[in-house]
Amino acid sequence: MSSSGIWKNLKFLFKLVVDNFLSMVTVPIAAATIVVVARLGHDEILGRLRALTPAYLFLSCFLPASAVTMYLLSQPRKVYLVDYACFHGTHLNRVPFAAFLECARQSSTLNERSIRFMSRLLESSGLGEETCLPTPVHYIPWKKYLTLEAAREEAELVVFSAIDELFSKTNVCPDTIDILVVNCSGFNPTPSFIDMIINKYKLRGDIRSVHLSGMGCSAGLISVEAARNLLQTARRGARALVVSTETLSPLLYDGNERAMLLPFCLFRMGGAAVLLSTSAAKARLRLMSVVRTLTAADDNSYRCIHREEDDKGHTGVNLSKDLIAAAGRTLKANIVTLAPIVLPISEQLLFAMSFVAQKLTNGRFKVYVPNFLTAFEHFCIHAGGTAVIDEVQRSLSLSDEHVEPSRMTLHRFGNTSSSSTWYELAYIEAKGRMHRGDRVWMIGFGSGFKCNSAVWKCIIPSPDTNGPWAGCILRYPVKIKSLKTSTNNTRMPGHNNKQFKDT
């Protein structure tokens, strides 16, 4: 047998022993106890129990029972996902590349150089021809129709469609909702999103509500954490409605800075409504843990996604060339916190031993990269762009199948900001890949820079596939041209410093 084969066998044996250490200790002890009891006999056992004093019997029973009771009462309540729904638009919202570029050509501010750049970017972006944009973009000139009223109509279309579908799927009465958490980064109307939803569905006046803004694409998982925290302090069986979306109309950019044209080309309409509860009744997933990492103290991370004005006064979101590097650093910091929670003990020990070995050998020994496939069956990586997905795939050593939900979501729906991970979860379920006991790792990235993780465990797989992928799931997966093999100079930020070089 080769040395590599011996090493694999030794590593397998090590993991088997370590991960099953508790069973290997408790089973022999339990067997020995049974043997001793069997040898003593019924009369001898009763005699020994009668010899014990009442005080000793009381303490031996009361103290362990009290300790167990206090431990159970101190544990936070479990939070479950009852169901979720995503906005999927109609053919009236879809904007093929040709229509998008034609509307851009009619702009009085975009020059031909920017049009050529957007054309090349769309070709290598990983987006398909069925992504949706708000109504103003369908008009010529589109800038004229970007009004406050248009933004409200877009928000209501996306949010109300998702909530209507969620209430229809769960048969939940709106007045049974105890908590409402909404996130939308760039659009903050008055009255607020919270008021808009309460007015539409006539929610209770004592509902506890939170609106998160300015947190970018990672806000969806932050909203889940906020809802979890509120649920754990509410009455037992309380319900929380979480709504994640991004209203694009106020964010569309009509200048010629290429770093600000990138989000203009990649972001698309999308939203999700999620019903959480502390009751396991009819629940489909259980929320295992949420981990948030924020690196805003670092100037490069803080500036890598920044809404600002260009030199002509046009407002847009600037994506720095440091974006991918910031995402990688923040992801690693997030993993450091998450790994001890989710990884088997054997993986943690292998990492620790390799880390010590590297220090002792002055870097000659390679640090062991934990195998997250031992902790998760499915991965929902924010579909922010092909470069983001590539970086996470490389960092975690994932296969193409593991990142397929992210790539297909980017192709079919584009970058839907904070709701993208729910489209990815819907893809996994529509493909019939979710099974009881499967664990899902949702990873969200956002401005700041933030990396947030949510870990779910499947209780009951989805009974149907009537979600955002209905009618098109059989066409997926599709072949997508990778940025790695693209021959043009259009790159997502972070791949090289010549990303904005004209051809």
Side-chain angles (χ1 to χ4, degrees), residues 410-423:
L410 182 64
H411 182 272
R412 174 61 183 83
F413 297 100
N415 181 350
T416 60
S417 189
S418 58
S419 62
S420 66
T421 52
W422 298 107
Y423 288 91

Side-chain angles (χ1 to χ4, degrees), residues 402-452:
H402 290 127
V403 298
E404 181 183 308
S406 301
R407 295 195 190 280
M408 297 308 106
T409 295
L410 182 64
H411 182 272
R412 174 61 183 83
F413 297 100
N415 181 350
T416 60
S417 189
S418 58
S419 62
S420 66
T421 52
W422 298 107
Y423 288 91
E424 293 158 18
L425 181 62
Y427 180 87
I428 296 169
E429 295 193 312
K431 280 294 184 181
R433 298 175 183 174
M434 186 71 73
H435 305 286
R436 185 187 300 270
D438 283 1
R439 296 152 299 179
V440 183
W441 183 8
M442 287 185 174
I443 307 173
F445 297 98
S447 57
F449 192 83
K450 292 181 284 292
C451 176
N452 303 322

